[in-house]
């Protein structure tokens, strides 16, 4: 089991690369959370070991990260986006 990465916002700048290895779990901690990609995002998940991008409230992937037991559940809108754009 891998420890999940908990983030608010993350930017992959132009010319940079972020590689998410198989089994990586990224949990977003709020409604304005997300990843902005101007460079390269490489997800190396497989059917057996996918990459998960999910809510901080999601206990099904990466465990009970927020430590509240069953008091919260993931829901649409828990985090904002994975946004990519081209840089000239």
């Amino acid at each position: 089991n891998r420890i999940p990465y908990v983030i608010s916002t993350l930017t992959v700048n132009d010319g940079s690369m972020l590689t998410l290895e198989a089994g990586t779990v990224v949990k977003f901690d709020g409604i304005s959370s997300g990843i902005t990609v101007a460079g390269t995002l490489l997800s190396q998940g497989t059917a057996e070991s996918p990459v998960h991008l999910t809510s901080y409230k999601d206990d099904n992937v990466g465990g009970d990260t927020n430590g509240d037991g069953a008091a919260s559940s993931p829901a649409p809108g828990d985090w904002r986006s994975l946004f990519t754009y081209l840089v000239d």
Side-chain angles (χ1 to χ4, degrees):
N1 267 346
R2 293 183 185 214
I3 296 172
Y5 295 96
V6 178
I7 64 170
S8 292
T9 59
L10 177 69
T11 300
V12 181
N13 293 318
D14 184 29
S16 296
M17 179 186 296
L18 172 63
T19 301
L20 301 176
E21 296 177 355
T24 298
V25 177
V26 178
K27 292 190 174 188
F28 298 95
D29 69 359
I31 59 172
S32 62
S33 298
I35 299 175
T36 301
V37 181
T40 302
L41 176 64
L42 178 61
S43 177
Q44 297 180 325
T46 66
E48 297 79 26
S49 189
V51 169
H52 293 274
L53 304 176
T54 189
S55 169
Y56 185 63
K57 299 175 185 177
D58 189 348
D59 296 347
N60 295 316
V61 181
D64 184 14
T65 310
N66 63 354
D68 72 348
S72 63
S73 299
D78 278 352
W79 58 284
R80 186 183 63 203
S81 65
L82 173 60
F83 179 76
T84 61
Y85 63 94
L86 298 175
V87 176
D88 292 333

